[in-house]
Amino acid sequence: MPTSALAATNLTKVIGDRTIVDDVSFELRAGEVFGFLGPNGAGKTTTIRMLVGLIRPTRGSIAICGFDIRREFEKAMACVGCIVENPDLYRFMTGRENLEHFARMTGTANGEITRVAELVNMAHRLDQRVGTYSLGMRQRLGIAQAMLGRPRVLILDEPANGLDPAGIREIRELLRTLAEEQGLAVFISSHLLAEVELTCDRVAIIHKGRILREGTVNELISSQRTLELRVGDPDRAAAILADRGIEFTRDDHGFLLPLDESDAPPIIAAMTSNNIEVFHAARRAHTLEEMFIEATGGETVG
Amino acid sequence: MISLIQNETIKILRRRRFMIVVGILFVIMTLVSYSQYRQLRESRNENWRAELQERIARYENRLRRGRMNESWSRSMKAEVRRMQFYLDRDINPEQPTAPLVVRSFANAAGFLLLPLLIGVLGSDIVSAENAEGTDKLLLTRPVRRWKILTSKLITLWMFATLTLLAGAILSYVVSAPVLPARGWDAPMFNGFQFTGETLKVDAVRELPLWKDALIAYGLEWYALLAVAAIALLLSVLFKSSAASIGTMLASLIGGTILTRISPDWTAGKYLFVSALPLAEYYSGQAPPYDGMSMGFCIALLGIWALAAITAAYTIFTRRDVFG
């Protein structure tokens, strides 16, 4: 098993009598993109703030590259680049001055600035004041800032925020490249489920401070099986299905059966032998969204 | 640490706060020199002695009539004794020169103007980062929080020093073209001591102006460092720059008014604003409360500064940073 780049163990944050994050544990491995999904107020941001040392957990511990962030804060943070919530940078300074500012804090050479700026396609706007940037450009500059000092873990809060579709795709490809080719561990939170589905290897779904599901995107999606069936005579087909003891639900177009693709041939054979036409029989491709709504009990994502 | 201080310095300069402070000082000093210049031209008459005597008489008259609160009458008595002293020595205390403007800047500005400017400069050094959201980046870099706060405190002290220097230099630069620019060795009298009703003249020291000015500026510098420390605490306490600057201004002005209005509330001598005009007290201006010796004032400011710094560090290094 690859080494763990970031390990959160039993993280809990209690404020007053409210438990905002409740016993959350997860692990991030080098070379993977990990998605953190949850509706508004689920505890996503509080968890991220605990990961980067802004908030002290009530219980539990965090280790980054093997360094405990309370005991060895400097060593742990030297391994991390992050954007927490909005990519807030100093608006009254230029992009370059901002990067120089944070490069000085990490003891990074100035040559790095050109490298990280080119990484996010910002080299041409670097000498303008950040106040004149669009949100998408600040997002890129934020990622450039996070890449200073060649971190091994990247923690990004809503990295797709404010980017146009082309920009989102560009960042997605950048994150994939960083994970696959440079072995970075990338942690992103997002409210764009499709984005997480395309970008992430593994996903954790957090709701009311607890992790409800965790697994690879494929595992989570394929944990539910549904067979779609569309036939010429739904009423008679329903009787046949009932005869065979198969649960089903009917929708506008036909039937949804809790079966795998391999269960389809005998059912199709039964239909055709009863002279019922079969137009369509296929495994339904679940989206993460359906799974998410099911897991959180139908709350909207935010 | 040096690169952290460099960062903070760049941020203060790029926020243009310091330029505004220097601009304000420039405008004020220009007005002061102009008024001094007018005074110089109008009072070129040779009967300053008569005028001084007249003023003494006027003050004594008012004192005799009474009907003023105790601290007022006390400072008026002190002023009378001081004027009498200059009269006896045949020195015109009113004749303005550029060095005198520089010297009196320490007194006049140290009482409210400079603390206010330092307050404005310092009160948002931490809170601005909160307000702009940049604290999230600043505090997630591999630098311990106490180091970040230390770099901010040192930078603030640097700018407090620069503000004082800028005030001194500006007051000379602006007044030298219109006023007599010499007279750095003019005699200055300090150490007037009041014990009850009598003026102890034997403790009076005669110092050349430059030496006297150095001492006054040194004291003022010390007071400003204390102000900066308190501004740092307010800046840590409040999330918005407006709230921290507002509180700083309110405590400076409110405290000053309080010490002037209710001199009978003796606990007021433990307020840091009571001890703030160190240069004025050094020059012989009576503090608003009894028992405020120079040593007391210096110690009081030191304790306030130390307490503010301790509180600022404790809060800053421990608190949770929410959005």
Side-chain angles (χ1 to χ4, degrees):
Chain A
M1 194 179 121
T3 52
S4 119
L6 183 153
T9 319
N10 307 118
L11 276 188
T12 302
K13 181 68 184 176
V14 181
I15 297 171
D17 55 358
R18 276 198 317 140
T19 305
I20 292 172
V21 174
D22 190 3
D23 201 30
V24 163
S25 300
F26 56 86
E27 206 176 324
L28 196 57
R29 295 171 212 131
E32 75 170 352
V33 182
F34 185 85
F36 207 50
L37 274 173
N40 276 337
K44 270 183 302 179
T45 302
T46 308
T47 306
I48 289 184
R49 282 175 183 260
M50 285 195 281
L51 292 182
V52 295
L54 289 174
I55 295 179
R56 190 190 292 238
T58 311
R59 276 187 299 281
S61 64
I62 298 153
I64 299 175
C65 298
F67 301 112
D68 183 279
I69 72 154
R70 296 225 61 81
R71 284 194 298 272
E72 292 173 291
F73 180 78
E74 282 164 323
K75 279 183 187 164
M77 295 318 286
C79 302
V80 186
C82 64
I83 301 179
V84 180
E85 275 179 286
N86 306 310
D88 291 312
L89 292 137
Y90 299 102
R91 286 168 170 266
F92 52 87
M93 302 201 291
T94 66
R96 187 183 305 281
E97 286 171 326
N98 267 286
L99 292 179
E100 283 168 356
H101 176 275
F102 292 107
R104 273 192 288 270
M105 292 187 76
T106 35
T108 309
N110 270 1
E112 277 283 280
I113 287 168
T114 320
R115 184 186 71 88
V116 296
E118 277 165 3
L119 212 56
V120 293
N121 255 328
M122 277 295 293
H124 60 298
R125 290 291 300 270
L126 221 45
D127 290 309
Q128 283 162 337
R129 273 190 28 240
V130 172
T132 67
Y133 286 12
S134 67
L135 178 57
M137 287 163 68
R138 294 210 307 276
Q139 194 70 260
R140 287 157 193 264
L141 189 64
I143 293 175
Q145 173 280 133
M147 289 303 298
L148 282 171
R150 298 184 182 263
R152 289 171 57 198
V153 180
L154 211 51
I155 297 175
L156 306 174
D157 207 354
E158 305 275 357
N161 236 359
L163 294 174
D164 52 25
I168 291 180
R169 186 176 171 157
E170 206 178 301
I171 295 299
R172 181 202 313 153
E173 279 163 10
L174 172 68
L175 295 182
R176 295 286 343 160
T177 313
L178 289 173
E180 283 162 21
E181 288 170 20
Q182 299 187 23
L184 256 76
V186 182
F187 179 103
I188 65 171
S189 78
S190 180
H191 69 288
L192 296 172
L193 283 153
E195 191 49 41
V196 168
E197 199 170 340
L198 288 168
T199 316
C200 299
D201 302 302
R202 282 197 305 135
V203 180
I205 293 175
I206 182 170
H207 183 53
K208 293 184 177 157
R210 288 168 170 276
I211 289 187
L212 296 179
R213 303 269 167 90
E214 192 200 329
T216 67
V217 173
N218 285 335
E219 268 169 26
L220 288 180
I221 291 172
S222 62
S223 67
Q224 282 159 311
R225 25 178 223 164
T226 306
L227 192 68
E228 288 178 332
L229 188 67
R230 210 157 73 233
V231 296
D233 189 341
D235 295 330
R236 276 177 56 220
I240 292 166
L241 287 172
D243 274 353
R244 296 173 76 98
I246 298 169
E247 289 175 42
F248 60 87
T249 48
R250 285 176 74 159
D251 70 1
D252 303 345
H253 309 293
F255 299 93
L256 296 177
L257 314 171
L259 298 174
D260 282 327
E261 214 162 29
S262 53
D263 299 322
I267 295 171
I268 295 169
M271 295 292 162
T272 46
S273 67
N274 282 287
N275 288 325
I276 299 170
E277 293 165 298
V278 177
F279 300 122
H280 171 91
R283 189 177 69 90
R284 177 158 181 173
H286 269 272
T287 59
L288 199 52
E289 184 172 3
E290 286 170 302
M291 206 281 308
F292 179 83
I293 288 171
E294 197 248 345
T296 58
E299 280 189 47
T300 50
V301 189
Chain B
M1 183 52 84
I2 286 173
S3 54
L4 291 181
I5 294 171
Q6 188 185 351
N7 275 349
E8 295 305 325
T9 307
I10 289 171
K11 281 186 270 183
I12 286 195
L13 291 177
R14 298 293 265 123
R15 276 187 221 274
R16 309 250 161 84
R17 284 272 148 65
F18 188 62
M19 292 313 291
I20 293 170
V21 164
V22 172
I24 290 171
L25 283 176
F26 180 79
V27 170
I28 290 174
M29 291 323 298
T30 309
L31 288 173
V32 167
S33 336
Y34 178 70
S35 68
Q36 294 281 297
Y37 168 68
R38 291 298 299 263
Q39 192 192 344
L40 181 72
R41 292 194 53 182
E42 279 161 19
S43 72
R44 191 154 288 187
N45 59 355
E46 303 305 319
N47 40 357
W48 62 268
R49 287 180 201 79
E51 278 171 13
L52 199 57
Q53 266 162 345
E54 193 198 310
R55 242 172 80 200
I56 293 172
R58 203 166 58 231
Y59 274 44
E60 280 174 338
N61 251 331
R62 244 195 277 174
L63 279 168
R64 220 166 293 131
R65 259 183 277 137
R67 279 206 312 245
M68 57 176 78
N69 72 40
E70 197 190 320
S71 72
W72 249 111
S73 77
R74 197 158 42 132
S75 64
M76 204 172 250
K77 276 179 204 160
E79 187 63 17
V80 167
R81 292 187 202 102
R82 209 174 60 85
M83 286 190 289
Q84 190 64 48
F85 191 82
Y86 280 110
L87 197 60
D88 295 346
R89 290 261 182 143
D90 199 27
I91 296 163
N92 181 358
E94 307 289 331
Q95 194 171 49
T97 64
L100 261 177
V101 170
V102 174
R103 170 64 184 84
S104 53
F105 173 78
N107 283 11
F111 148 66
L112 203 54
L113 178 66
L114 283 178
L116 280 179
L117 292 179
I118 303 299
V120 169
L121 209 58
S123 294
D124 75 345
I125 195 159
V126 177
S127 53
E129 305 258 8
N130 280 327
E132 290 163 16
T134 45
D135 55 341
K136 294 174 305 203
L137 282 177
L138 196 67
L139 301 181
T140 54
R141 301 291 77 217
V143 178
R144 288 237 169 232
R145 288 191 190 181
W146 67 263
K147 284 189 185 166
I148 288 172
L149 198 61
T150 305
S151 71
K152 284 185 180 292
L153 180 62
I154 291 174
T155 309
L156 206 48
W157 277 348
M158 255 164 50
F159 274 91
T161 312
L162 279 178
T163 306
L164 186 65
L165 281 179
I169 291 168
L170 272 177
S171 57
Y172 188 77
V173 167
V174 172
S175 60
V178 292
L179 298 175
R182 286 156 180 262
W184 284 109
D185 51 354
M188 299 292 287
F189 299 96
N190 276 299
F192 295 91
Q193 283 177 349
F194 309 101
T195 44
E197 288 296 301
T198 53
L199 171 66
K200 280 209 284 184
V201 189
D202 39 308
V204 168
R205 293 178 307 271
E206 188 181 327
L207 284 176
L209 179 65
W210 63 269
K211 221 174 199 174
D212 181 62
L214 272 183
I215 294 172
Y217 273 92
L219 289 169
E220 204 42 54
W221 182 62
Y222 177 81
L224 288 182
L225 295 190
V227 172
I230 290 163
L232 183 80
L233 172 63
L234 290 176
S235 190
V236 167
L237 284 178
F238 291 100
K239 268 197 172 178
S240 89
S241 309
S244 51
I245 292 179
T247 310
M248 187 72 208
L249 299 195
S251 55
L252 280 172
I253 297 172
T256 306
I257 292 173
L258 193 70
T259 57
R260 309 273 141 145
I261 288 186
S262 46
D264 300 328
W265 183 59
T266 50
K269 75 175 173 183
Y270 298 107
L271 293 175
F272 81 94
V273 277
S274 319
L276 217 45
L278 283 182
E280 276 195 321
Y281 301 160
Y282 162 71
S283 318
Q285 160 92 241
Y289 303 100
D290 287 332
M292 293 186 70
S293 63
M294 186 55 84
F296 174 86
C297 289
I298 288 175
L300 185 71
L301 285 179
I303 290 167
W304 269 92
L306 215 64
I309 290 172
T310 311
Y313 272 83
T314 311
I315 296 165
F316 189 75
T317 54
R318 285 173 190 220
R319 73 164 159 209
D320 285 345
V321 181
F322 289 99

